[in-house]
Amino acid sequence: MVTSNEFSHELKISELGGQMRSIHLSADPVSRAALAKRFDLAALESLDADVTITTVGTDIVATGQLTAKLDQICVATREPVPVNISEKISIRFIPEPHVDEEAEFELAAEDCDVMFHDGQLIDLGEAVAQSLGLAIDPYPRSSDADVLLKAAGVKGEDESGPFGVLASLKEKLAKK
């Protein structure tokens, strides 16, 4: 099976054999560059994962740790923000369900770290890549961001929250 995932590491389910297996994944420069583009990063210097695979019936459970060094672009200053990520991962690969396309269903919290498999393969690399995507701060800020935002008139959380509003009312009343 040919995939288009940037960091694909496919495992044949038939070769897992129900035994615990430890796997180390490390993204090469080409994969890191493609993942940096996918996640809109300035750079992805490293991406590694140490994962233990176990089989539970038709499910495959992957647990372990991912680490990454990356640079994001600050939302305010547009400067690179260096970030080190160390994140525990726990993913359950389950057989693709056969559902009525018209049926509605809800996901519980424990369903959020679930990926589907076709009974033949799982893509552990894609699971690690998606875990990285979830661990990335969607609004990175450099150390100068708060100063720049304040100068532009953007209120911080402490000023715009309910206590900030009360404080500004107190200031207005004190001036009268």
Side-chain angles (χ1 to χ4, degrees):
M1 174 181 214
V2 177
T3 69
S4 61
N5 297 335
E6 304 91 338
F7 184 48
S8 184
H9 185 88
E10 293 179 336
L11 299 171
K12 290 183 180 179
I13 294 172
S14 62
E15 293 177 0
L16 295 176
Q19 296 183 356
M20 191 177 296
R21 184 171 169 191
S22 295
I23 299 172
H24 175 79
L25 299 178
S26 186
D28 64 22
V30 173
S31 296
R32 291 194 315 266
L35 287 168
K37 184 176 180 181
R38 174 178 169 183
F39 295 122
D40 197 25
L41 303 173
L44 180 56
E45 297 172 33
S46 68
L47 172 59
D48 296 286
D50 289 301
V51 182
T52 300
I53 303 284
T54 54
T55 304
V56 181
T58 59
D59 296 357
I60 293 99
V61 179
T63 57
Q65 186 84 18
L66 82 81
T67 57
K69 288 179 72 172
L70 53 99
D71 288 333
Q72 292 184 267
I73 300 298
C74 174
V75 295
T77 66
R78 307 300 300 158
E79 296 172 354
V81 179
V83 178
N84 290 317
I85 292 177
S86 180
E87 190 82 15
K88 289 192 181 298
I89 55 176
S90 179
I91 302 163
R92 181 176 289 269
F93 294 88
I94 63 172
E96 184 96 36
H98 300 286
V99 294
D100 177 12
E101 291 184 22
E102 300 293 322
E104 292 184 26
F105 60 93
E106 292 185 31
L107 293 175
E110 61 271 7
D111 297 329
C112 292
D113 291 338
V114 170
M115 294 182 74
F116 299 116
H117 67 74
D118 61 2
Q120 305 296 315
L121 299 169
I122 63 168
D123 191 341
L124 188 57
E126 177 58 17
V128 169
Q130 288 185 23
S131 296
L132 172 67
L134 292 171
I136 294 172
D137 181 354
Y139 303 106
R141 290 186 174 192
S142 69
S143 58
D144 298 333
D146 290 336
V147 173
L148 180 71
L149 291 170
K150 190 162 187 92
V154 177
K155 292 183 178 183
E157 287 181 27
D158 57 331
E159 298 170 306
S160 63
F163 294 112
V165 172
L166 289 174
S168 69
L169 286 174
K170 184 178 176 182
E171 287 176 19
K172 286 180 183 178
L173 290 174
K175 290 181 182 178
K176 288 185 177 185

